[in-house]
Amino acid sequence: MQEQKKMTLTTKVLIGMGFGIAVGLFINLLGLNGEGLLVNEYVVNGFFHIVGKMFVTALKMLVVPLVFFSLISGVLGIGDISILGKVGVKSFVLYLLTTAIAIALAITMAAMSGIGEGVNLATDTIFVAKEAPSLSSVLINIIPSNIIDAMAQGKMLQIIFFSILTGISILLVGKKAEPIVELVEIANEVMMKMVNIVMAVAPYAVFALLAKAISNLGLDLLVDLTGYVLVLIFALMVHLFVTLMSVLKLFSGMSPAIFLKKMRETQIFAFSTSSSNATIPVTLRAVTDRLGVNNSVASFTVPFGATINMDGTAIMQGVATVFIANAYGVELGITGYLTVILMSVLASIGTAGVPGVGLIMLSMVFTQVGLPIEGIGLILGVDRLLDMIRTAVNVSGDAVVSVIVAKSEEKLDVNIFNDPHAGKLTDADLDIDDEVEHEIAEVIKETHDKS
Ligand code: ASP
């Protein structure tokens, strides 16, 4: 019998995405998303909402233990504390640099297009600015006073700090700590398997997430602010396909085409969840298993990047600043724009990659340069959809830097990077080996017989 060709997860996720957008548009265009309507109650806010939410929650559930074990295992894998320092410094510099390039590009493009001039300022959407963290509190907060609390709240920089410290201490204890080393390695493997299990339902979840988002929002919203939306999306694409890919090629020599192909799935996850943080498990898997970055580098650069590196968000801030400054007729001048660049880069360090956080960062920037915070109300309506696109750019930036740093530290497996099939997830990955199944059954039987 001819063997049926197995579809890969990426193909299934792509199909899920296409159907999700189509169904969402259908519901939106037919007006089935109105208050009290059956489709809205039971399908959009019932079925789609439940499936999507369960999936994102499952991803979030994986983040803390995965980062904890993979990072300790990464530190143990590197073994040398000075290399760890180099990985830290290199990724930090590259993250800041790419973010600064992103926002400078965005400001230039937006300024050249003249968006925002003559925009009607009447808006009934009110933006309430949230308190933004100060730089000193960001620095102090890297150290957790209580690691259980840090983990419970998912404070990524604190978890990273504690995991690295744990790894280093295990190394210092030496031979005696060998059982812990083994435990960490196994726990890390178990967590990666859990990622595979959760990812197996991704195509359905991506469908539900997108169907819900699009049916609630529709695309006509985007038309109201066409100039802003177009310039923003264009700048995001230029940054992803031109800037980041040139940086990748220049610093690592690796192929942008292969990189983009292998990152597609992760980008769709980021797009559907609007959260770099919730996407960490998927990004980490793609960066290690598909792009060949050694876990000793990726376990640090990926969660670190999800927290401090947001190129897409920086682009949004650049475009939004020009748009709103023009709309209010405020002349920012060169110093104003330089402040915007500096503030956006700093703001990205202290804020986690979760949905909508870009707007909070924007309010920090506005306060600094004296732009009216109410202006953010103008772009609030379209932000939910744009958040999806910029999050996909954010996670791509994290992966680019991971590859570059790994290559420079000789921690990149070029064969894996170039192998088109490496790390592809198929149904077979979730099959339990017959032999293993048999062994487990034996162990259970023995235990029963004894008792
Ligand atoms: N949602 C983005 C992220 O998680 C942050 C933002 O731009 O709001 O990366």
Side-chain angles (χ1 to χ4, degrees), residues 439-451:
E439 271 173 34
I440 294 175
E442 284 289 305
V443 174
I444 294 175
K445 193 167 167 290
E446 267 172 41
T447 331
H448 266 264
D449 290 349
K450 269 189 211 149
S451 58

Side-chain angles (χ1 to χ4, degrees), residues 30-336:
L30 290 189
L32 299 174
N33 57 339
E35 192 108 348
L37 293 181
L38 280 186
V39 172
N40 190 42
E41 299 278 290
Y42 294 101
V43 182
V44 178
N45 289 317
F47 185 63
F48 293 165
H49 174 69
I50 296 169
V51 175
K53 193 87 186 160
M54 281 172 87
F55 177 70
V56 178
T57 312
L59 279 177
K60 286 192 194 154
M61 162 188 87
L62 299 178
V63 173
V64 174
L66 179 66
V67 169
F68 181 63
F69 288 117
S70 70
L71 196 46
I72 300 179
S73 138
V75 174
L76 298 176
I78 287 193
D80 183 340
I81 298 171
S82 67
I83 299 186
L84 197 68
K86 273 202 276 173
V87 169
V89 171
K90 278 184 192 171
S91 49
F92 186 65
V93 171
L94 279 171
Y95 280 146
L96 294 196
L97 195 73
T98 45
T99 308
I101 298 177
I103 184 155
L105 172 91
I107 291 177
T108 315
M109 282 187 167
M112 273 163 43
S113 70
I115 44 162
E117 284 157 9
V119 159
N120 176 13
L121 291 179
T123 169
D124 39 8
T125 333
I126 297 168
F127 179 74
V128 189
K130 285 206 189 112
E131 201 44 53
S134 69
L135 187 62
S136 58
S137 72
V138 169
L139 288 177
I140 296 170
N141 278 331
I142 291 178
I143 303 175
S145 61
N146 179 339
I147 187 60
I148 308 285
D149 179 60
M151 287 186 167
Q153 300 205 33
K155 291 185 177 157
M156 205 46 68
L157 293 182
Q158 300 197 348
I159 299 170
I160 291 177
F161 180 84
F162 184 74
S163 310
I164 293 180
L165 201 61
T166 310
I168 294 175
S169 308
I170 294 176
L171 282 174
L172 291 175
V173 170
K175 190 136 185 64
K176 213 170 160 190
E178 264 171 19
I180 300 193
V181 175
E182 203 172 329
L183 177 96
V184 168
E185 294 307 331
I186 297 170
N188 186 30
E189 218 172 292
V190 170
M191 287 313 304
M192 285 313 275
K193 283 279 176 263
M194 247 188 244
V195 175
N196 288 355
I197 297 175
V198 173
M199 276 172 71
V201 293
Y204 312 100
V206 165
F207 164 79
L209 282 166
L210 292 179
K212 177 172 182 232
I214 307 287
S215 58
N216 278 343
L217 299 166
L219 296 181
D220 45 351
L221 260 179
L222 299 180
V223 179
D224 294 342
L225 285 169
T226 332
Y228 170 71
V229 172
L230 287 184
V231 173
L232 180 47
I233 295 180
F234 185 63
L236 285 169
M237 293 305 121
V238 171
H239 185 70
L240 173 62
F241 293 110
V242 183
T243 318
L244 284 178
M245 290 309 103
S246 312
V247 170
L248 174 77
K249 185 79 196 161
L250 206 67
F251 288 97
S252 75
M254 304 312 289
S255 151
I258 298 181
F259 175 90
L260 286 172
K261 200 154 181 240
K262 293 193 168 185
M263 278 302 289
R264 205 159 48 191
E265 198 173 270
T266 313
Q267 288 164 340
I268 298 176
F269 272 77
F271 181 77
S272 324
T273 59
S274 291
S275 167
S276 320
N277 259 27
T279 313
I280 288 176
V282 186
T283 318
L284 191 58
R285 190 185 174 283
V287 168
T288 50
D289 294 7
R290 303 224 61 202
L291 295 171
V293 174
N294 191 285
N295 180 55
S296 55
V297 171
S299 62
F300 173 73
T301 51
V302 169
F304 190 47
T307 316
I308 76 156
N309 182 51
M310 295 177 202
D311 294 1
T313 307
I315 291 176
M316 177 277 279
Q317 293 178 65
V319 178
T321 306
V322 176
F323 177 74
I324 293 167
N326 280 347
Y328 281 85
V330 180
E331 196 52 70
L332 282 179
I334 290 289
T335 6

